[in-house]
Amino acid sequence: VQLQASGGGLVQAGGSLRLSCAASGNFFSINAMGWYRQAPGKQRELVAATTSGGTTNYAESVKGRFTISRDNAKNTVYLRMSSLKPEDTALYYCNAVVMVAGSGLYEYDYWGQGTQVTVSS
């Protein structure tokens, strides 16, 4: 299973960006997809996540500014980021919790390569 993330870049404070992450490979289903971020010197933190049923979860710091959405047919998750702040600057990672069929169904956690978001003041 591979996760291909795109959409990062440099933006001024108050601007917007949209991140995309597409999952590919052999898997039975995707349970949850989400975005995490890691700023220099800080731990990786959850930004937003969504389940296959559409339940969403956001970090308090991004509520009202970021929107996560998912296209199940394309196995793709999006993160629309608005009203960006310099403190949103980080490397953003896509995550997927995937069910893989073997002798049974097994749950695996996969990560994308990270896409840089830089917000200038």
Side-chain angles (χ1 to χ4, degrees), residues 23-102:
S24 61
N26 292 318
F27 51 86
F28 181 79
S29 64
I30 302 177
N31 286 347
M33 298 187 81
W35 293 93
Y36 290 71
R37 67 186 181 187
Q38 188 168 20
K42 295 187 177 181
Q43 289 189 333
R44 189 175 297 189
E45 62 175 358
L46 171 71
V47 177
T50 180
T51 67
S52 57
T55 301
T56 58
N57 183 33
Y58 293 93
E60 284 296 326
S61 60
V62 307
K63 282 183 178 178
R65 300 188 298 121
F66 291 10
T67 302
I68 190 168
S69 61
R70 179 171 166 177
D71 185 333
N72 289 328
K74 296 182 178 179
N75 296 317
T76 300
V77 65
Y78 306 95
L79 184 69
R80 176 67 177 175
M81 304 183 292
S82 302
S83 302
L84 282 161
K85 304 175 181 180
E87 51 263 44
D88 294 318
T89 296
L91 193 59
Y92 283 68
Y93 294 92
C94 175
N95 172 265
V97 179
V98 177
M99 301 300 291
V100 177

